[in-house]
Amino acid sequence: MERNIDMLIRHHGLKDKIVSAEEAASWIKDGMTLGLSGFTRAGDAKAVPMALVEKSKHDPLKVNVYTGASLGADIDKIMSEANIINKRMPFQADAAMRSKINKGDMYFVDQHLSHCAEWIRTNVWEPIDFAIVEALSISEDGMIIPTTSVGNSSIFVENAKAVIIELNTTQPLALEGLHDIYEAGPQGNRNPIPITKVSDRIGTIGIPVDPDKIKGIVISNIPDSPSTIVPPDEETQTMANHLMDFLRLEIKAGRLGNNLPPLQSGVGSVANAVMHGLLESEFTDLEVYSEVLQDAMFDLIDAGKIKFASGCSMTLSEEKLNQVYPNLEKYRDKLVLRPQEISNHPEVIRRLGLISINTALEVDIYGNVNSTHVLGTKMMNGIGGSGDFARNSRIAIFVTKSVAKHGAISSIVPFVSHVDHTEHDVDVIVTEQGYADLRGLAPKERVLKIIENCAHPMYKEQLREYYEEALKKGGQTPHVLEKAFSWHTNFAEKGTMLQEIKQHS
Amino acid sequence: MERNIDMLIRHHGLKDKIVSAEEAASWIKDGMTLGLSGFTRAGDAKAVPMALVEKSKHDPLKVNVYTGASLGADIDKIMSEANIINKRMPFQADAAMRSKINKGDMYFVDQHLSHCAEWIRTNVWEPIDFAIVEALSISEDGMIIPTTSVGNSSIFVENAKAVIIELNTTQPLALEGLHDIYEAGPQGNRNPIPITKVSDRIGTIGIPVDPDKIKGIVISNIPDSPSTIVPPDEETQTMANHLMDFLRLEIKAGRLGNNLPPLQSGVGSVANAVMHGLLESEFTDLEVYSEVLQDAMFDLIDAGKIKFASGCSMTLSEEKLNQVYPNLEKYRDKLVLRPQEISNHPEVIRRLGLISINTALEVDIYGNVNSTHVLGTKMMNGIGGSGDFARNSRIAIFVTKSVAKHGAISSIVPFVSHVDHTEHDVDVIVTEQGYADLRGLAPKERVLKIIENCAHPMYKEQLREYYEEALKKGGQTPHVLEKAFSWHTNFAEKGTMLQEIKQHS
């Protein structure tokens, strides 16, 4: 799609900053720190990182790479395979990069997504040499209009020594006006964030930037990668039903009104499928205050179920994207994209009283959740925003299938091999087996609910046996520490968590 | 001290509600839920719980007991010894109660202190039959004027079916005016909390209550229990010095200004001692936004070091209390006591950008913190407000001596036996050995800092050995799961975490 450059760069005096991606990449030196736009495959800087990888082949270098969250267009893959990354923050979801991280070839700092901006603002992370952000256009007053994500772009731009803009001509111009950029300001000299409703707009439609800081503008035509979520299956549909049963009981008990609080849903297939389950439900007038707006959100908007959705990125499958992009006008008054500091801010999450739905990797019998580490050691993707939401939501729900690898792994274990969400922050567990409402329960009250309602039948007896043995040792949270990780070591040795069940004496 | 009853009950028509503690206790039936005032031995309801324990001797019953935090006057001790508690929330610090909890004789729900009010407001916890709150007086317009703590008293009073007031004649009348009671309101229909400075007053000086809900007023003369913190010792002084070295380096690096952000300090001897260390320092114009105001805070006020302190309770040693009480006037413009929902609210903590200092029970080599469970199973006191502060502070510092039980226990272990604060929330570890600044570091970068800077020399080699073995297995967070808890099991079996060091091959 050819676009008139005057439409893309409306600010006078910036057009002469257009450079090739290769030239922009040539400015990047060994040891520098880059802040790349991009959140869950949406709105990521693409051309310059690709050119940087090419350059590195004859001019080896290492850089620190900060992003909003995961990148698309194989950027994380090619950067990690080219070994150009020293340290990556705060989230990734790429198999090649994961492998490099777990081999120890690069550092990965796994951080709450709402905290990144504070780390940058207070100069705790390495200072950013170049913010490289994808944009739809540059406005008359010099604001950078983001594309499909805001993520950390605004804090990168504000704090970087220099800015490179990738004007992406494949992104629909109708995205302009969807964003709401707000800078919280320094701690200790900051006002309350004035959001009291999901739909509140509190900032500007673009990222303010000192034009002198813009070192180059690159024209790009590389589209966002479509999302890779898999469609709902029978088990995720069952999980969605359990979740809705829980919500119905809350309404019946008078703990929730008929209009649900705003919903948040984590990234990924399971959370997406669970949201999708609301389509056929009686729930209407839904509101969403989340980070990523996935397919299910747009299906729910199309069905007239969601009246407003706030996020920091939109990541759609190819099919959904082809439906949404030509009709963006119709979503205009129902969507807003904010910086991830604001979409994930504890202040707003607590004030609005969200119901949050996030994916667990494993859960233990007392309700602690591992979201990040396979067998306690290998990084999967990162905690992302799950901690931002779970800690401060009105109801923090975690969803997981009860087993993985055809039953060789139980998602319910005696002791999670890594803790991302403590017992203090986990309210409800949902698996395809059922749900466990843990709110207001002491650890020993939680155990049986989790085992009986959520564990897979093939693991229930084994879990009961562990708990019964632990119970003999006493304590607030009984454990047999010698055996706490035996399920994981069993899997590592024998390829299954299933143990031979001993007879009760 | 005799006081004119008209001074204590200034509201007309409430004087005829005066009853004996025994009569008030007679209203409490088996299965009821009580909300008792009291936060860290300060401002706790005393006479009615004592009468209830007496009554239970001939009329056995079980009740749920919610409080602000720990109680004084042996109330938790006598209630648990009388076996009258079914479930206790959200914090305790009594040896007898701890024993009952760990034996499984009562349930204990260990919760973030700022979250209690939300649980009560949303009817997730059992509804409160009686709020029993200590008061200084009842104002002309019927407000309950609290004494030395606010804690959860205001949310208890608002949500209880009925209210019993204990007018405590031993508390100094000059406490009136120190409190600032603010009700956040229901989630989803709530304004920002308008605190932008530590000293902001945003509410009323007493707890509003419908006079019809007041079922009885009991006159009490049982004083608060003095705090039991032990004075600073050489090791805590060393820890305070390390902490100040860290702060000085932050200032030198330009990451902090000369005026420190507001400080929070956890309950207990170590945190108190560390605050005490500021007395001899160059730091001035300090502000405190904390939960409990302990001796050190008042020493710092007396020394002109602290210009304002906000908390939700004041808990002093007998000696300090005798200095402070006769001179309350002099502290009037330097103190405020808020509900614990507000003193510990993530919204305010994040906005003000606190430096928080809390005590760890054990820390692992990757920076996860256990604040609650001895050997992973036995409850100590509870997480208290440490999670509220650590997650949202600008800098979350945890302090612990590097060894306990004369070296038999290392506070730095391969894998903490319970996780209350995850690697995502722990910024700086301080022991008497030194400090480890973990901010912006990947797990493998953290390990050596923690081992080399914080562990006791007698455990360093053993820690290095574990890590080296783990490192061979790879991963983002290398572990030898088979041996992760071997230090704890070794202690349980042999009374020490010290193992025989094998020769390196």
Side-chain angles (χ1 to χ4, degrees):
Chain A
M1 167 168 37
E2 271 308 309
R3 284 179 192 175
N4 182 333
I5 203 70
D6 292 319
M7 281 169 63
L8 299 180
I9 308 180
R10 305 198 296 270
H11 184 273
H12 295 293
L14 285 178
K15 273 186 288 251
D16 57 354
K17 300 210 177 186
I18 294 178
V19 294
S20 66
E22 291 67 33
E23 183 170 349
S26 76
W27 303 330
I28 298 168
K29 308 294 180 198
D30 185 51
M32 280 188 170
T33 294
L34 312 178
L36 305 186
S37 68
F39 195 106
T40 53
R41 311 171 75 79
D44 27 24
K46 304 169 186 83
V48 179
M50 285 176 182
L52 182 66
V53 167
E54 282 309 308
K55 167 182 128 109
S56 75
K57 290 175 183 168
H58 52 84
D59 181 12
L61 83 176
K62 289 252 189 204
V63 291
N64 298 319
V65 176
Y66 309 162
T67 64
S70 56
L71 302 179
D74 284 342
I75 300 293
D76 270 337
K77 178 179 191 295
I78 61 172
M79 287 195 302
S80 54
E81 285 176 349
N83 284 319
I84 67 168
I85 300 184
N86 172 57
K87 190 178 279 193
R88 175 80 167 77
M89 308 188 194
F91 186 87
Q92 56 73 41
D94 179 80
M97 179 168 276
R98 188 179 295 144
S99 163
K100 290 282 182 184
I101 290 169
N102 289 322
K103 273 189 198 140
D105 293 340
M106 56 180 278
Y107 289 119
F108 175 56
V109 179
D110 176 24
Q111 255 303 346
H112 301 300
L113 298 186
S114 86
H115 288 208
C116 306
E118 307 284 16
W119 291 121
I120 291 167
R121 206 177 272 128
T122 53
N123 298 313
V124 170
W125 286 4
E126 290 291 314
I128 299 171
D129 295 289
F130 283 105
I132 310 175
V133 295
E134 181 173 281
L136 201 62
S137 59
I138 300 167
S139 71
E140 292 77 359
D141 46 357
M143 288 196 299
I144 298 168
I145 310 296
T147 59
T148 42
S149 71
V150 179
N152 276 323
S153 297
S154 48
I155 193 78
F156 290 161
V157 166
E158 192 187 333
N159 287 272
K161 292 174 198 154
V163 176
I164 299 169
I165 297 171
E166 284 194 14
L167 279 176
N168 191 314
T169 59
T170 72
Q171 297 277 23
L173 291 173
L175 288 171
E176 182 166 340
L178 226 55
H179 313 90
D180 186 54
I181 310 299
Y182 180 84
E183 162 57 19
Q187 285 173 316
N189 190 14
R190 174 186 288 183
N191 285 318
I193 298 167
I195 296 176
T196 57
K197 295 192 309 291
V198 163
S199 57
D200 279 342
R201 292 188 151 272
I202 61 172
T204 54
I205 63 158
I207 302 169
V209 58
D210 173 3
D212 291 340
K213 253 172 71 167
I214 301 177
K215 187 163 163 81
I217 299 172
V218 173
I219 311 292
S220 154
N221 60 1
I222 309 162
D224 274 356
S225 306
S227 96
T228 54
I229 52 166
V230 299
D233 60 23
E234 202 182 319
E235 282 187 341
T236 52
Q237 182 57 50
T238 308
M239 289 160 75
N241 291 341
H242 292 317
L243 183 87
M244 285 184 291
D245 284 346
F246 164 74
L247 295 175
R248 287 183 192 113
L249 195 64
E250 287 302 293
I251 292 169
K252 205 173 154 196
R255 287 188 292 265
L256 287 179
N258 277 315
N259 278 344
L260 293 179
L263 302 172
Q264 175 266 340
S265 154
V267 189
S269 304
V270 176
N272 183 67
V274 168
M275 283 300 286
H276 208 265
L278 288 167
L279 258 184
E280 304 298 317
S281 77
E282 72 276 26
F283 299 106
T284 55
D285 289 328
L286 298 170
E287 292 181 308
V288 166
Y289 196 86
S290 197
E291 42 179 51
V292 186
L293 307 181
Q294 299 184 100
D295 281 23
M297 306 288 190
F298 287 85
D299 292 336
L300 285 162
I301 293 176
D302 292 346
K305 292 277 197 183
I306 286 182
K307 60 180 185 181
F308 201 92
S310 165
C312 75
S313 100
M314 43 190 277
T315 304
L316 301 177
S317 68
E318 195 148 15
E319 188 192 345
K320 197 67 202 170
L321 197 129
N322 289 335
Q323 290 168 30
V324 169
Y325 270 14
N327 298 296
L328 269 173
E329 279 306 322
K330 123 177 169 195
Y331 299 97
R332 180 167 293 281
D333 59 345
K334 295 188 178 59
L335 289 181
V336 63
L337 296 181
R338 310 180 188 275
Q340 70 198 67
E341 180 175 38
I342 305 299
S343 65
N344 289 27
H345 205 290
E347 172 173 339
V348 183
I349 294 166
R350 179 93 165 244
R351 186 180 301 145
L352 298 177
L354 306 191
I355 296 178
S356 73
I357 305 163
N358 289 285
T359 308
L361 208 59
E362 62 179 6
V363 181
D364 72 25
I365 55 173
Y366 296 108
N368 299 284
V369 167
N370 172 7
S371 302
T372 56
H373 282 70
V374 177
L375 295 176
T377 55
K378 293 206 162 46
M379 174 55 56
M380 193 69 199
N381 300 333
I383 190 170
S386 58
D388 292 324
F389 289 101
R391 168 68 62 88
N392 295 293
S393 285
R394 175 166 173 175
I395 308 177
I397 300 170
F398 282 89
V399 297
T400 179
K401 293 187 181 185
S402 70
V403 289
K405 292 208 186 288
H406 308 290
I409 291 178
S410 173
S411 306
I412 317 288
V413 293
F415 201 122
V416 285
S417 58
H418 186 88
V419 179
D420 291 294
H421 308 285
T422 71
E423 51 158 340
H424 314 284
D425 294 332
V426 178
D427 296 332
V428 180
I429 313 278
V430 180
T431 71
E432 82 291 348
Q433 299 295 320
Y435 72 84
D437 178 3
L438 311 177
R439 296 172 299 164
L441 299 186
K444 281 178 226 166
E445 295 176 293
R446 289 179 217 142
V447 176
L448 295 180
K449 283 209 176 192
I450 294 176
I451 297 178
E452 301 311 327
N453 299 4
C454 297
H456 194 280
M458 67 198 289
Y459 283 103
K460 277 186 183 174
E461 188 53 33
Q462 199 173 308
L463 285 164
R464 287 186 205 116
E465 199 151 299
Y466 176 85
Y467 179 58
E468 279 160 26
E469 187 177 347
L471 210 45
K472 287 178 198 145
K473 301 201 164 201
Q476 160 88 347
T477 305
H479 269 300
V480 189
L481 287 186
E482 294 84 346
K483 298 185 180 175
F485 293 139
S486 63
W487 294 36
H488 302 86
T489 54
N490 211 52
F491 177 82
E493 280 164 30
K494 299 176 190 165
T496 178
M497 285 187 173
L498 268 180
Q499 292 162 352
E500 226 172 284
I501 305 286
K502 291 179 213 87
Q503 287 305 108
H504 287 249
S505 54
Chain B
M1 168 170 38
E2 271 307 310
R3 283 180 193 174
N4 183 333
I5 204 69
D6 293 318
M7 280 170 64
L8 299 181
I9 308 180
R10 305 200 293 271
H11 183 273
H12 294 293
L14 284 177
K15 273 186 286 247
D16 55 357
K17 299 210 180 188
I18 295 178
V19 294
S20 67
E22 292 67 32
E23 183 171 348
S26 76
W27 303 330
I28 298 168
K29 308 294 178 196
D30 185 52
M32 281 189 168
T33 295
L34 312 178
L36 305 187
S37 69
F39 196 106
T40 51
R41 312 169 76 78
D44 27 25
K46 304 170 186 83
V48 179
M50 285 177 181
L52 182 66
V53 167
E54 283 308 310
K55 165 181 129 108
S56 75
K57 291 176 182 167
H58 53 85
D59 180 12
L61 84 176
K62 290 251 188 204
V63 291
N64 298 318
V65 175
Y66 309 163
T67 63
S70 56
L71 302 179
D74 284 342
I75 300 293
D76 271 337
K77 178 178 189 297
I78 61 170
M79 287 195 301
S80 55
E81 285 177 347
N83 284 317
I84 67 166
I85 299 184
N86 172 58
K87 191 179 278 191
R88 177 80 167 77
M89 311 187 190
F91 186 87
Q92 57 72 41
D94 178 81
M97 179 168 276
R98 187 181 295 144
S99 165
K100 290 282 180 182
I101 291 168
N102 289 323
K103 274 189 195 141
D105 293 340
M106 56 178 280
Y107 289 119
F108 175 57
V109 179
D110 176 24
Q111 257 303 345
H112 300 301
L113 298 187
S114 87
H115 288 210
C116 306
E118 307 284 18
W119 292 120
I120 292 166
R121 206 176 271 127
T122 54
N123 298 311
V124 171
W125 286 3
E126 289 291 316
I128 299 170
D129 295 288
F130 283 105
I132 309 174
V133 296
E134 183 174 279
L136 201 60
S137 58
I138 301 169
S139 71
E140 291 77 359
D141 46 358
M143 289 196 300
I144 298 167
I145 310 296
T147 59
T148 42
S149 70
V150 180
N152 277 320
S153 297
S154 49
I155 193 77
F156 290 161
V157 166
E158 191 186 336
N159 287 271
K161 292 173 199 154
V163 176
I164 297 168
I165 297 171
E166 284 193 14
L167 279 177
N168 191 316
T169 58
T170 71
Q171 297 277 21
L173 290 172
L175 289 170
E176 182 166 341
L178 227 55
H179 312 91
D180 186 54
I181 311 298
Y182 180 85
E183 162 57 21
Q187 285 173 316
N189 191 16
R190 174 186 289 182
N191 286 318
I193 299 167
I195 296 176
T196 57
K197 295 193 307 291
V198 164
S199 57
D200 280 342
R201 291 188 152 270
I202 61 172
T204 53
I205 62 157
I207 302 170
V209 59
D210 173 2
D212 290 342
K213 253 173 68 168
I214 301 178
K215 189 163 162 75
I217 299 172
V218 172
I219 311 293
S220 153
N221 60 2
I222 309 163
D224 274 358
S225 307
S227 96
T228 54
I229 52 167
V230 300
D233 59 23
E234 201 182 319
E235 282 187 342
T236 52
Q237 182 57 49
T238 309
M239 289 161 76
N241 290 342
H242 292 317
L243 182 90
M244 285 185 290
D245 284 347
F246 164 75
L247 295 174
R248 286 182 192 114
L249 195 64
E250 287 302 293
I251 293 169
K252 204 172 157 195
R255 287 188 293 266
L256 287 179
N258 276 318
N259 277 345
L260 292 181
L263 303 173
Q264 175 265 341
S265 154
V267 189
S269 303
V270 175
N272 183 68
V274 168
M275 284 300 287
H276 208 264
L278 289 166
L279 258 183
E280 303 299 317
S281 77
E282 71 275 30
F283 298 107
T284 55
D285 288 327
L286 299 171
E287 291 181 308
V288 166
Y289 196 84
S290 196
E291 42 179 47
V292 184
L293 307 180
Q294 300 184 98
D295 281 22
M297 306 289 189
F298 287 85
D299 291 337
L300 285 161
I301 293 176
D302 292 346
K305 291 277 195 183
I306 286 181
K307 58 180 184 181
F308 202 92
S310 164
C312 74
S313 102
M314 44 190 277
T315 305
L316 301 177
S317 68
E318 195 149 12
E319 186 192 347
K320 196 68 199 170
L321 197 131
N322 290 334
Q323 289 168 31
V324 168
Y325 270 15
N327 298 297
L328 270 172
E329 279 306 322
K330 119 176 172 197
Y331 299 97
R332 180 168 293 283
D333 60 344
K334 294 187 178 64
L335 288 182
V336 62
L337 295 181
R338 310 180 189 276
Q340 69 196 69
E341 180 175 39
I342 305 299
S343 65
N344 289 29
H345 204 292
E347 171 173 341
V348 182
I349 294 167
R350 180 90 163 245
R351 185 180 301 144
L352 298 178
L354 305 191
I355 297 177
S356 73
I357 305 162
N358 289 285
T359 309
L361 209 59
E362 61 177 5
V363 181
D364 72 25
I365 56 173
Y366 296 108
N368 299 284
V369 166
N370 173 8
S371 302
T372 56
H373 283 69
V374 177
L375 296 176
T377 56
K378 292 206 162 45
M379 174 55 56
M380 193 70 199
N381 300 334
I383 189 169
S386 58
D388 291 324
F389 288 102
R391 169 69 63 88
N392 294 294
S393 285
R394 177 167 174 174
I395 308 176
I397 300 169
F398 282 88
V399 296
T400 179
K401 293 187 180 183
S402 70
V403 288
K405 292 205 186 289
H406 307 292
I409 291 178
S410 172
S411 306
I412 316 289
V413 293
F415 201 122
V416 284
S417 58
H418 185 88
V419 178
D420 292 293
H421 308 285
T422 72
E423 52 159 337
H424 314 284
D425 296 331
V426 177
D427 296 332
V428 180
I429 312 276
V430 180
T431 70
E432 83 289 348
Q433 299 294 318
Y435 72 85
D437 178 2
L438 310 177
R439 296 172 301 163
L441 299 187
K444 281 177 226 166
E445 295 177 291
R446 288 179 219 143
V447 176
L448 295 181
K449 282 210 175 190
I450 294 176
I451 296 177
E452 301 311 327
N453 298 4
C454 296
H456 194 279
M458 67 198 288
Y459 283 103
K460 277 187 182 173
E461 189 52 32
Q462 200 173 308
L463 285 164
R464 287 185 204 115
E465 198 152 301
Y466 176 87
Y467 179 60
E468 278 161 27
E469 186 178 348
L471 209 46
K472 288 179 195 142
K473 302 202 163 201
Q476 161 86 348
T477 307
H479 269 300
V480 188
L481 286 185
E482 294 84 345
K483 298 185 181 176
F485 293 139
S486 62
W487 293 36
H488 301 86
T489 54
N490 210 54
F491 177 80
E493 281 164 32
K494 298 177 191 165
T496 178
M497 286 187 171
L498 269 179
Q499 293 160 352
E500 225 172 285
I501 305 287
K502 292 178 212 83
Q503 287 304 110
H504 286 250
S505 54

